Amino acid sequence: MGTKDHWYENATFYAIDVEAFADGDDDGAGDFEGMTDRLDYLESLGIDCIWLLPFYPSPNRDNGYDVTDYYGVDDRYGTLGDFVEFVREADRRGLRVIVDLVVNHTSDQHPWFRKAREDPDSKYRDYYVWREDPPENPDPHRGPVFPGEEDNIWSYDEEAEAFYYHRFYHFQPDLNTANPDVREEIRKIMGFWLELGVSGFRVDAATLMIDNKGGLESTRLDDPHGVLRDMRHFVERRGDDAILFAEADDAPDRLGDYFGNSHGRISPDADAESGVELGEGDEINVMLNFLLDAYLVLALAEREAEPIREVLDILPVPPEGGQWANFLRNYDELNIGRLPENDQQRVFDAFAPDENMRIYGRGIRRRLAPMLDGDADRVRLAYSLLFSLPGAPLLFYGDEIGMGDDLSLPGRNAVRTPMQWSAGKNGGFSSADPEQLVRPVVSGGEYGYETVNVADQRGDPDSLFQWFSRLNRLRAECPEIGHGDCEVLDADDRAVFAHRMTSDHGRVVAVHNLGEERTEATLELDAEPVRLFGDAAFERVADRIGVESDGGEDGSADEWRFELGRYGFCWVRVEESV
């Protein structure tokens, strides 16, 4: 039975930190004017949807995730008019825009919190979570999100004469999502931005939004996932095929709950005897795939395919209408905390041998290119693998040219350096004096803007940028990957990962060699392969051997041998579209 196509299932998402992308008014900070001027570049890259990190008015103590006004644009980035013009111009080029929705918490400078601390009888007091005395034995599973930077989740406010709850920084008090008034405020915020043309929201800290905040009875949600389900229903009513794209980093056995699937209500299409739900998910449309990311990086560190096979067995299969967003790096730390401890250490040893490269005891604060020692073959192998796996790929700005990091910057800012557009002043990011820049441009060495920049790579047919442009367009031509069934294929070499994606559109097979040595992989294919991507050689080595077909009857297939070079890969189509 065929499935309904959704735009996001085969989209390539591209995350942008507005303040670090392009400076249009030369004040040293990126803005919407500068981003609008760069839309032709994004169109040429072949991406489908832009995800904007927070751009709202903010003290900017946490990269904009400490919001003071959900209905505006920070003065540094322009005006609401500039934002609308950006969305309009993006739409004209066929590019969608989703925005960060940061409603797990606010800034302590937000008017709601100011009113809450001033007046205990104000309705805003119940917008947050308060206690006269913090618990003596806090839940170890509800500790600070940033260990080493915060040592408590309760902070005392002298004006309110009470402690308030926060899982992030002390200047980011948590909102009480059990309060119906807060839920109504969230709907108003979403409605506002939907009216301005966005295609959805990246829901920040979705796992914490549905938690029993502070462990209090007054904040306990009778139906925790009802928060997300209400948001989804609102977006579907008010948005034109808009989506929820969420950060939900939870235990593997709970991840599927965030997609939703009628929560025990039997679909009209369900099998009456089995009770299997066949309906569409009713919560998050797209979820950031933190688990896959951790295991992919482990596979790259060990140069073996087994971690990929393992994680594909662990991951829940999304219901219809649900999708994973697969990535290798994002704007935060590369979080490997879900790996077993011994595997975490292997990753640290391979990719973050110095303590300065690590953060929070669970993450790596480096970009992928320097993690892989600038090895162009290995970088291409990693992203080819990412784009071929079930889900929708996500790129972080600068990935497409192999940008590096600046480990002299504090915390996660190491990977949030300005985009490198040219070999000119400040890498073409801004004409302001260097000391005025929001953050320094990476300069000198292997990853400096003098060597790694857009202008040089756009003119070079063999550059990483041109390779990504081809990869993005190929991915759009392979809907099997977005909503097909994934089957891992047998390969003798532990370094080889081979898999087949099958849907009504056809079949795509991808073969990747994670190892440094040349190797071969012999696969049984039931149709003649046609090359889509990669330069691995392949040839038929045996005709029509007996195999077990999908229907359980004896079928036949040919054996094909793929010759894979160091970090080699190949995508082939083995069945024409129907």
Side-chain angles (χ1 to χ4, degrees):
M1 182 176 67
T3 59
K4 176 184 176 183
D5 288 345
H6 301 85
W7 69 264
Y8 51 85
E9 288 181 322
N10 282 291
T12 298
F13 292 88
Y14 186 89
I16 294 179
D17 187 352
V18 177
E19 70 177 3
F21 197 65
D23 178 11
D25 59 7
D26 294 325
D27 65 352
D31 48 44
F32 282 107
E33 179 184 348
M35 286 193 16
T36 302
D37 289 341
R38 299 296 186 176
L39 282 171
D40 287 340
Y41 165 77
L42 296 178
E43 182 182 18
S44 70
L45 178 59
I47 59 117
D48 301 291
C49 183
I50 300 164
W51 157 24
L52 299 178
L53 275 62
F55 52 82
Y56 313 106
S58 165
N60 207 32
R61 299 177 69 184
D62 182 24
N63 208 55
Y65 283 89
D66 46 336
V67 178
T68 58
D69 178 7
Y70 290 109
Y71 298 98
V73 172
D74 195 290
D75 289 343
R76 292 168 296 171
Y77 311 142
T79 66
L80 271 177
D82 295 329
F83 173 84
V84 171
E85 182 67 9
F86 169 76
V87 173
R88 188 188 74 82
E89 286 297 315
D91 180 70
R92 192 168 67 82
R93 293 166 173 80
L95 301 175
R96 293 176 180 267
V97 177
I98 62 174
V99 298
D100 242 297
L101 182 67
V102 190
V103 290
N104 174 71
H105 53 266
T106 69
S107 165
D108 61 359
Q109 301 303 307
H110 195 287
W112 296 344
F113 192 71
R114 289 183 172 180
K115 293 174 182 176
R117 68 203 304 200
E118 292 169 358
D119 182 3
D121 296 323
S122 166
K123 75 170 187 175
Y124 295 105
R125 187 72 157 210
D126 290 334
Y127 274 36
Y128 299 90
V129 181
W130 302 89
R131 285 190 66 148
E132 292 185 4
D133 297 296
E136 294 183 2
N137 299 307
D139 186 340
H141 300 294
R142 292 191 172 99
V145 171
F146 303 129
E149 297 186 24
E150 291 284 340
D151 57 11
N152 208 328
I153 58 173
W154 293 96
S155 290
Y156 186 72
D157 184 80
E158 293 187 358
E159 188 170 1
E161 297 182 336
F163 290 84
Y164 61 89
Y165 179 78
H166 57 89
R167 288 292 302 277
F168 289 90
Y169 293 107
H170 65 277
F171 52 81
Q172 293 169 314
D174 269 38
L175 284 165
N176 177 12
T177 49
N179 184 341
D181 290 340
V182 170
R183 306 265 281 269
E184 179 59 26
E185 295 282 8
I186 294 172
R187 287 189 287 270
K188 289 178 181 177
I189 295 164
M190 293 192 298
F192 178 82
W193 293 102
L194 288 170
E195 286 295 315
L196 297 185
V198 304
S199 290
F201 304 92
R202 182 268 187 184
V203 183
D204 182 60
T207 305
L208 302 184
M209 283 182 64
I210 65 174
D211 192 25
N212 180 19
K213 299 195 173 193
L216 306 181
E217 190 61 35
S218 60
T219 62
R220 186 180 302 277
L221 290 157
D222 294 333
D223 176 14
H225 281 266
V227 175
L228 303 178
R229 196 178 311 114
D230 289 349
M231 293 169 63
R232 169 73 174 271
H233 290 171
F234 180 85
V235 167
E236 287 188 341
R237 289 195 307 270
R238 295 284 294 274
D240 181 13
D241 64 13
I243 64 169
L244 296 181
F245 178 106
E247 175 188 31
D249 188 4
D250 210 333
D253 61 349
R254 293 196 292 267
L255 283 174
D257 295 341
Y258 291 87
F259 289 115
N261 196 358
S262 302
H263 283 265
R265 297 187 299 275
I266 302 301
S267 162
D269 296 326
D271 181 283
E273 293 183 2
S274 69
V276 174
E277 297 176 9
L278 304 177
E280 185 165 328
D282 57 1
E283 293 182 33
I284 301 303
N285 301 91
V286 183
M287 282 210 302
L288 288 163
N289 203 343
F290 291 97
L291 196 64
L292 177 68
D293 181 38
Y295 278 83
L296 267 180
V297 173
L298 174 62
L300 292 171
E302 296 187 333
R303 295 182 171 87
E304 292 190 353
E306 182 56 32
I308 308 171
R309 299 188 186 100
E310 183 178 349
V311 73
L312 291 179
D313 285 338
I314 297 172
L315 281 170
V317 176
E320 185 178 348
Q323 183 60 294
W324 292 109
N326 301 331
F327 60 95
L328 282 165
R329 286 300 287 117
N330 62 10
Y331 62 94
D332 281 332
E333 75 278 8
L334 195 167
N335 187 348
I336 58 173
R338 294 286 175 190
L339 294 175
E341 288 189 11
N342 59 335
D343 289 335
Q344 291 182 39
Q345 191 57 51
R346 291 189 183 96
V347 173
F348 281 139
D349 290 344
F351 295 141
D354 298 334
E355 193 64 35
N356 185 42
M357 299 173 176
R358 308 176 189 179
I359 190 169
Y360 308 138
R362 64 173 184 249
I364 297 173
R365 62 188 206 100
R366 305 179 73 192
R367 283 219 184 217
L368 188 73
M371 279 174 52
L372 300 181
D373 298 323
D375 188 323
D377 291 338
R378 203 174 182 194
V379 170
R380 286 176 167 85
L381 174 279
Y383 278 108
S384 171
L385 179 57
L386 180 81
F387 272 61
S388 72
L389 290 171
L394 165 67
L395 295 174
F396 183 47
Y397 77 93
D399 282 351
E400 71 276 14
I401 59 171
M403 275 178 55
D405 44 51
D406 184 350
L407 294 174
S408 72
L409 297 177
R412 296 170 294 172
N413 282 339
V415 300
R416 299 170 178 174
T417 55
M419 182 68 175
Q420 297 168 196
W421 294 103
S422 72
K425 180 180 179 181
N426 298 324
F429 164 70
S430 173
S431 295
D433 292 335
E435 59 270 17
Q436 292 182 288
L437 300 185
V438 63
R439 282 185 287 278
V441 180
V442 175
S443 178
E446 186 176 358
Y447 302 101
Y449 68 84
E450 302 90 346
T451 303
V452 177
N453 63 72
V454 170
D456 288 348
Q457 293 198 21
R458 290 188 81 173
D460 179 0
D462 297 323
S463 68
L464 187 60
F465 167 82
Q466 297 290 2
W467 182 87
F468 262 111
S469 183
R470 294 192 295 272
L471 179 60
N472 282 326
R473 285 171 168 76
L474 171 65
R475 179 62 183 76
E477 297 171 8
C478 296
E480 299 94 333
I481 300 175
H483 50 68
D485 296 323
C486 179
E487 177 189 2
V488 178
L489 305 178
D490 292 333
D492 292 334
D493 193 326
R494 294 175 61 87
V496 173
F497 181 76
H499 67 294
R500 174 165 48 216
M501 299 296 300
T502 303
S503 77
D504 290 347
H505 295 276
R507 300 185 183 188
V508 170
V509 171
V511 193
H512 291 83
N513 175 21
L514 282 74
E516 292 184 285
E517 305 296 329
R518 299 183 66 86
T519 189
E520 295 179 352
T522 301
L523 306 178
E524 297 174 357
L525 305 179
D526 55 7
E528 184 170 348
V530 177
R531 185 187 306 276
L532 295 174
F533 198 59
D535 57 5
F538 54 87
E539 62 178 345
R540 182 188 285 111
V541 293
D543 293 337
R544 317 318 295 172
I545 61 173
V547 297
E548 187 78 6
S549 70
D550 292 341
E553 300 176 356
D554 288 339
S556 61
D558 293 344
E559 282 192 349
W560 290 79
R561 182 172 60 219
F562 289 77
E563 297 181 4
L564 301 163
R566 171 183 181 272
Y567 303 130
F569 55 87
C570 188
W571 296 22
V572 297
R573 187 178 295 285
V574 296
E575 184 174 291
E576 296 299 326
S577 298
V578 294

